[in-house]
Amino acid sequence: MSYKEFAEYDAEQTGGIKDSFSSIITGLGEDVNREGIQKTPERAAKAMMYLTQGYTMNAAEILKSAMFAEDYNEMVIVKNIELYSLCEHHMLPFFGKAHIAYIPDGHIVGLSKLPRVVDVFARRLQVQERLTHDILECINDTLKPQGVAVVIEASHMCMMMRGVQKQNSTTTTSGFRGQFEKIETRNEFLKLISSDLS
């Protein structure tokens, strides 16, 4: 399925997830019939379906929908792309920023498509390491550039709200292909994403 705005919910699927949330809420000791909770199972079901809509999207098709032949072969960077995802281990949020660069090899892509690719993979149950890899490989395989670089910086609620409860920790993951495997190109990218050019 190609990219489309997620605005409709499958009634049967929503009903099943709603029932599951009702059981969870009851199992936690809350009264699912209490006024403030009555609509929570349905809201939670729709929220979860929205937050995992990436399973119904095709990131490669998103890129292909806006690829243009262009004789440009210098670095293109889109940085500070906000991302929100759910940790597959605890289903708690992690959030942060992605920085993406590529060096075209005959084709460029519409700039808005790179954040959309991030959303496709972020809106699934994820670990940050695989999220980084998924974005990197999708761009590399689809656009076939001279090189691709992806860096993600994120904070994980599973570390902040439970477990070690470290409030100021962040996790950084990175991936490089092609020209970005060369140290000078990689360093240029890392310098540019860490600088404030405004």
Side-chain angles (χ1 to χ4, degrees), residues 10-129:
D10 178 88
E12 183 176 349
Q13 184 181 15
T14 304
I17 298 172
K18 173 185 172 182
D19 292 343
S20 296
F21 272 113
S22 292
S23 297
I24 291 170
I25 291 168
T26 300
L28 293 173
E30 180 59 83
D31 179 7
V32 76
N33 294 311
R34 184 167 64 80
E35 182 181 12
I37 300 289
Q38 284 178 349
K39 294 185 178 180
T40 297
E42 182 178 359
R43 291 191 189 106
K46 289 182 177 179
M48 190 59 64
M49 291 174 69
Y50 180 84
L51 294 172
T52 59
Q53 64 183 286
Y55 289 118
T56 68
M57 297 177 179
N58 186 318
E61 291 302 317
I62 291 172
L63 290 176
K64 289 176 183 176
S65 72
M67 286 176 57
F68 310 100
E70 191 67 45
D71 185 21
Y72 181 85
N73 59 3
E74 301 295 335
M75 193 182 302
V76 178
I77 301 175
V78 180
K79 67 178 187 177
N80 296 326
I81 302 168
E82 295 179 3
L83 69 86
Y84 303 90
S85 192
L86 292 174
C87 163
E88 67 180 33
H89 300 143
H90 303 97
M91 294 179 70
L92 289 173
F94 67 93
F95 56 92
K97 295 178 179 180
H99 314 286
I100 300 173
Y102 75 98
I103 300 174
D105 190 13
H107 289 86
I108 60 171
V109 68
L111 295 178
S112 70
K113 303 308 177 187
L114 296 177
R116 291 196 188 282
V117 168
V118 172
D119 282 348
V120 168
F121 293 115
R123 294 186 188 279
R124 302 177 182 184
L125 300 182
Q126 277 286 13
V127 293
Q128 186 174 330
E129 296 87 342

